Amino acid sequence: MHQMVSIGRQFNGPPKSANGGYASGVLAAGLAGAGYSGAVEASLHAPPALDHPMSLISTDGVVQLMDGDTRVGSARTAELNLGLPELPSNPRFCGDPDAAQGAFIPFDQCFVCGRARHEGDGLCLFAQKIEGYAGLVGVPWHLHENFADDEGLIDPAFVWSALDCPGYFACAFGEAALLGRLTAEIFKPLKAGGEAMVYGWSLDDPGGPKSRKRRCGTAVLDENGDLVAKAEGLWITIDPAKLAG
């Protein structure tokens, strides 16, 4: 399968490139279009351009997103052995995750977590610490009808998006970092107009050696507390100057 795709400017992460979770969802859609429905490992090799035609090529269980000769992203079938931590049934939020003074501030126009976005334009997932649950962040998600498909269900690309930024808030908040890989599985659909919860937690050993890599888990639960999707993310810290708009 070979098709042309373009990621609209609405779905940015950094000012000049796509949100990593959304781009990963575009890659996963290539496998879904071939009939696959399990876990997908999506990797980003270069910042996905906005409003720019790219080739989505699916061959033998592998999808590649190509911008000319540049491989922007790839996806393949995977297994996801990610356990969930204890999650609160009625979370009490208590502010932004801790970060050092003068730390990097997340993009206020990010499609998923930008505080300058509004519901229906962005997902507005501003993850917060949760009282009594050290290391866990979470955020309610209003399932706006603007993100629904023709059947009134939230498009899977937006579920992938929701699995992105809350992981950053859990494992790299205050650092300039880009999503390198997201391995996710969606178990059931979400109906637009309802509510959900998104959680994130770090998978890093707090006593382990420091590197540029940060690992996290994320999960989406529906309003009944049932698991909708989960993901394991890998973030790579970079020079903040490289993310300047």
Side-chain angles (χ1 to χ4, degrees), residues 34-180:
Y36 178 72
S37 60
V40 172
E41 178 188 281
S43 299
L44 297 173
H45 311 293
L50 300 167
D51 291 336
H52 176 73
M54 295 178 283
S55 298
L56 190 67
I57 304 167
S58 177
T59 307
D60 297 329
V62 176
V63 171
Q64 296 192 82
L65 183 63
M66 302 294 297
D67 184 0
D69 294 331
T70 300
R71 186 172 64 150
V72 175
S74 61
R76 64 178 183 86
T77 61
E79 291 186 8
L80 179 59
N81 299 311
L82 175 70
L84 271 60
E86 181 184 0
L87 301 176
S89 57
N90 188 26
R92 296 182 61 181
F93 302 105
C94 54
D96 289 340
D98 297 328
Q101 186 175 3
F104 178 80
I105 298 174
F107 307 111
D108 65 355
Q109 290 289 344
C110 174
F111 170 67
V112 176
C113 68
R115 295 181 185 272
R117 304 295 286 260
H118 59 269
E119 287 193 359
D121 170 58
L123 298 189
C124 300
L125 299 179
F126 320 131
Q128 302 279 293
K129 295 185 295 184
I130 299 175
E131 186 176 302
Y133 291 78
L136 186 69
V137 301
V139 57
W141 181 16
H142 174 63
L143 305 171
H144 200 282
E145 289 85 351
N146 283 4
F147 305 121
D149 60 18
D150 293 339
E151 298 180 355
L153 303 175
I154 297 298
D155 189 284
F158 300 121
V159 178
W160 276 82
S161 303
L163 291 166
D164 177 6
C165 294
Y168 167 82
F169 277 68
C171 73
F173 186 75
E175 298 182 278
L178 292 176
L179 183 70

